[in-house]
Amino acid sequence: MEQNASYLPILIQAAIAIGFVGLVLVLTHILGPRRYSKKKVENFECGIESEGNARFPVSVKYFLTAILFVLIDVEVIFFYPYAVNFREMGVQGFLAVVMFVAFFLVGFIYIWKKGALEWEK
Amino acid sequence: MNVDTTYLIIKSLMVLTIFGITLLIATYLTYFERKVAAFLQDRLGPDRAGPFGILQPLADAGKMFFKEDFIPQNSAKSLFILGPGIAMFTALLTGSIIPWGPQITLFGETFDFQIADINVGILFIVGVVSIGVYGIMIGGWASNNKYSLFGAIRASSQMISYELAMGLSIIAIVMMSGSLSLKDIVAQQHGMNWNVFYQPLGFIIFLISALAECNRAPFDLAECESELIGGYHTEYSSMKLGFFLFAEYINMFISCAIISSLYFGGYNYPFMDMVTDPTVQGLIGTAVLFGKIFFFIFLFMWIRWTLPRFRYDQLMHLGWKMLIPLALANMLATGAVILFNQ
């Protein structure tokens, strides 16, 4: 309970933030004028007639980046508990982490050599 | 810590105060940015509304409320409204765990000048900031505009890439302090014992990542007007557009507060032990923290109006091939040096 109580103010802040966001979105909807026009409700694409819509395949590079992010971010998260207990674990813990980083680097060099980080091609 | 009504009332008041200060600062940062831009480009900047144009942000905010709240025909309507909401909500949430000043005693009560001291402080910030990516991604995708989609995809790809380097550079700080709580990290930098003197490389990596996380120039590929009109907020109008812009400025303010807390001692300042009255010491500390924050905000603006924009492959190259290996090396070097000195 002691631990959980320190999160209460964050809940208060979240409630106020949601209230503020909702209030402003409603207010701006009420206050602004509304004039319908056939051309206006189309998407703005530099004034050129818009062709189709934006539901089309995007370069796989972005998805690759997202997948690599998930992989590497999980490894980064593993460092956090280690970093907090770093001093107690001493040299032995440090050597274990060096080994972990070495494994991490093998994977990193692999994706690098495979060209997953190249954007020019 | 006992949870009673007084505690809740005090915390609520504090939340409201910091909420108000955050909104006020974000509003005036738009004015500050235009004035800094004008200064760097040798012109005057806004000077019509009020003396020196200081009412300009209020006029802008008022105008945004009275603009048409426009939703394009092809968009996914509920997501279109949700996007800016998420962006603003996450931006407003991060201020809650920053220690704005040391503990002070007023009227026989001790106040922590911090809304919530949670033991996973930094992880909380990193987590909330990553939810902010959803705001941009949902907003850009729901617009159903090709330019918005590209802006949103670029933004999310860039933000997650730089989050890695940012996380790795924070680890070196956590190793030094042995705690994830921002309050402990700041308290350990008492006086002039700032982390930046031990972590100069970590600071540079963190600063670059923070610029990229905030989508600030030279990393503003998400909204580069020469290629993508307005990027992910092309289709937005009224306060929904205002939310995206506001969230950006709040994020900038909070990033600068985090940089000051992690690397530049937060509310600590040299010779602070010479001030004997703890209340005065605390108040000076808060003023000093805001001084540091505004210095970094000025630095952010200075960078924006001085450097040209990166190309996308250069941006990814910098993030993945330089910052991540550098941050890893920095982390291992920090560990080795601390163990060697023990």
Side-chain angles (χ1 to χ4, degrees), chain B residues 96-153:
Chain B
S96 56
I97 61 158
I98 289 170
W100 299 104
Q103 210 166 43
I104 53 171
T105 310
L106 273 182
F107 316 116
E109 291 256 5
T110 36
F111 292 98
D112 268 332
F113 206 42
Q114 180 184 21
I115 292 175
D117 173 36
I118 57 177
N119 49 10
V120 292
I122 291 182
L123 281 182
F124 176 81
I125 289 190
V126 174
V128 171
V129 167
S130 3
I131 298 176
V133 179
Y134 283 95
I136 292 176
M137 190 66 217
I138 289 176
W141 185 84
S143 303
N144 205 349
N145 179 323
K146 289 154 203 129
Y147 294 98
S148 302
L149 181 68
F150 276 125
I153 289 181

Side-chain angles (χ1 to χ4, degrees), chain B residues 126 166 219 323:
Chain B
V126 174
M166 191 180 222
F219 299 100
L323 291 186

Side-chain angles (χ1 to χ4, degrees), chain A residues 1-3 5-10 12-18 20-25 27-36 38 40-46 48 50-56 58-59 61-63 65-66 68-69 72-73 76-77 79-80 82-88 90-91 94 97-98 101 104-105 108 111-112 117-120, chain B residues 1 3 7-8 11-12 15-16 19 23 64-70 72-74 76 81 85 88-89 92-93 95-97 115-120 123-124 141-147 149-150 153-154 157 160-161 163-164 167-168 170-171 174-176 178 180 229 234-235 238-240 243 312-313 316 320-321 324-325 328 331-332 335-336 338-339 342:
Chain A
M1 188 57 210
E2 287 255 320
Q3 283 290 316
S6 56
Y7 287 88
L8 254 179
I10 293 186
I12 300 176
Q13 175 134 2
I16 294 178
I18 288 181
F20 174 77
V21 167
L23 182 75
V24 170
L25 281 180
L27 260 184
T28 188
H29 190 72
I30 295 170
L31 288 177
R34 247 175 308 269
R35 289 184 201 96
Y36 180 80
K38 207 174 169 186
K40 193 165 74 177
V41 294
E42 282 179 10
N43 285 323
F44 177 70
E45 295 183 351
C46 297
I48 304 166
S50 65
E51 285 276 338
N53 60 17
R55 305 284 178 258
F56 54 81
V58 184
S59 167
K61 289 280 176 201
Y62 294 102
F63 297 98
T65 309
L68 293 178
F69 163 75
I72 294 180
D73 204 36
V76 169
I77 285 298
F79 287 127
Y80 275 89
Y82 165 68
V84 173
N85 302 306
F86 166 67
R87 281 170 207 269
E88 290 92 80
V91 177
F94 185 65
V97 163
V98 169
V101 172
F104 174 85
L105 275 182
F108 192 69
I111 56 167
W112 191 326
L117 306 179
E118 304 295 329
W119 283 78
E120 299 92 81
Chain B
M1 188 191 298
V3 179
Y7 171 76
L8 282 182
K11 285 293 180 193
S12 305
V15 167
L16 281 176
F19 203 77
L23 284 180
M64 279 195 157
F65 269 105
F66 289 100
K67 286 286 172 185
E68 178 173 353
D69 182 27
F70 168 71
Q73 198 173 29
N74 294 326
I81 298 168
M88 189 67 180
F89 171 67
L92 287 171
L93 204 55
S96 56
I97 61 158
I115 292 175
D117 173 36
I118 57 177
N119 49 10
V120 292
L123 281 182
F124 176 81
W141 185 84
S143 303
N144 205 349
N145 179 323
K146 289 154 203 129
Y147 294 98
L149 181 68
F150 276 125
I153 289 181
R154 279 186 182 186
S157 199
I160 60 178
S161 299
E163 219 169 274
L164 297 172
L168 283 169
I170 293 173
I171 287 172
V174 177
M175 280 166 115
M176 286 175 59
L180 287 169
I229 318 182
T234 302
E235 294 287 348
S238 77
M239 241 0 233
K240 292 218 271 307
F243 269 1
Y312 202 74
D313 61 308
M316 284 310 204
W320 284 89
K321 293 186 181 171
I324 291 178
L328 266 178
M331 184 188 94
L332 288 181
I338 293 177
L339 282 179
Q342 239 177 13

Side-chain angles (χ1 to χ4, degrees), chain B residues 279-300:
Chain B
T279 312
V280 176
Q281 196 192 40
L283 291 178
I284 295 177
T286 306
V288 166
L289 174 63
F290 273 91
K292 288 171 186 171
I293 292 174
F294 280 113
F295 170 76
F296 280 107
I297 288 174
F298 178 70
L299 184 72
F300 271 42

Side-chain angles (χ1 to χ4, degrees), chain B residues 201-221:
Chain B
L201 183 62
F203 162 65
I204 291 169
I205 296 171
F206 192 90
L207 181 71
I208 295 174
S209 311
L211 278 171
E213 287 284 312
C214 296
N215 284 326
R216 292 285 298 178
F219 299 100
D220 61 342
L221 279 113

